Amino acid sequence: LRREWTPTATAEVLAHVARLRPDIIHCEYLQACEPILACRQPSVVALHDCSTEVQRRLLASAAVLRKGYRWAELVRTERFERRVLDHASVVVALSPRDASLFRVHTDRVLVTPPGVRVPSVHWDGLASAPPARVLFYGAMWRSANITIARYLVGDVLPRVWARRPEVTFCIAGSRPTAEVQELAASDARVQVTGYVEDLDDLVARSGLVLAPNLVGGGVQLKVLRSLAVGCPVVTTPDAAEAIGATDDVHLLVGADGARLAEQVLRLLGD
């Protein structure tokens, strides 16, 4: 969390609060919640997922040499998230599952399913003529997205390439780490774009969006956004459930690498 929100940022927010004296303080994401712990004003905290649950999954999937680091991150995150939940006047959850996790610590929880803007561009399957492009996108400095990108390149795409070697895989999103950039060096069919000015246009020009949820709950806005463009989406069961989507109706679902690859190949017409 500290990598994403610095003490300087907290000091700046507290200076603004002292100057403006707002009636209510609104925080988006757990990372931004440190200032409310030092304020007396009522606060509304919108949490896009349960960070403690994310850290538990990261610990479970971590390599042996990183277990100690992940354990320490879990302990720190759990303590901080509990302090925020205890302090906040209202906690906004994006899914019923996350709300149930938050209600273990507070009953001041509201469920507000998110929406997305319907873009002006729309998906056209013919636009992604061979070689077909599979797209994954997100903030590529976030550990959850890094874990997903590594999983897709290491486990899912090789199964796709075994039958469709011409397929390309695009990883889009701001501030890709060195670990993400190395994925492109590992295979010429993997492209890491960095920041993209018009994501809707990129989605519209891709064969499909592959966006599994591996390390957390919440609602994957990338799934909603891609569906709004009209682009086919392959995801995991919990991500589909979080938005009320039905497998083989609104999108396609796979619970593991083999099934995700099968669904990708199905959409590519294999």
Side-chain angles (χ1 to χ4, degrees), residues 143-155:
S143 58
N145 286 329
I146 295 169
T147 298
I148 293 170
R150 291 180 58 202
Y151 169 71
L152 294 178
V153 173
D155 189 29

Side-chain angles (χ1 to χ4, degrees), residues 185-210:
S186 68
D187 195 299
R189 292 167 292 192
V190 179
Q191 177 189 16
V192 177
T193 68
Y195 174 76
V196 174
E197 182 71 31
D198 190 344
L199 267 175
D200 291 335
D201 181 67
L202 180 61
V203 172
R205 292 185 293 105
S206 298
L208 61 98
V209 168
L210 178 56

Side-chain angles (χ1 to χ4, degrees), residues 75-175:
V75 171
R76 285 193 289 263
T77 300
E78 186 173 24
R79 288 175 179 170
F80 181 65
E81 189 166 55
R82 184 172 299 181
R83 287 180 64 200
V84 169
L85 293 172
D86 289 342
H87 186 91
S89 305
V90 176
V91 176
V92 177
L94 303 189
S95 71
R97 182 179 183 276
D98 284 346
S100 67
L101 294 173
F102 299 145
R103 287 187 177 120
V104 172
H105 305 291
T106 178
D107 58 0
R108 302 182 301 276
V109 180
L110 296 177
V111 180
T112 305
V116 294
R117 174 184 57 86
V118 177
S120 58
V121 296
H122 302 287
W123 180 77
D124 179 1
L126 297 177
S128 60
R133 176 167 58 200
V134 175
L135 173 65
F136 172 72
Y137 62 93
M140 293 315 304
W141 47 269
R142 295 194 66 195
S143 58
N145 286 329
I146 295 169
T147 298
I148 293 170
R150 291 180 58 202
Y151 169 71
L152 294 178
V153 173
D155 189 29
V156 180
L157 269 301
R159 301 172 191 267
V160 174
W161 287 328
R163 286 157 59 179
R164 295 288 299 272
E166 79 282 7
V167 169
T168 59
F169 181 52
C170 178
I171 302 171
S174 61
R175 295 164 53 192

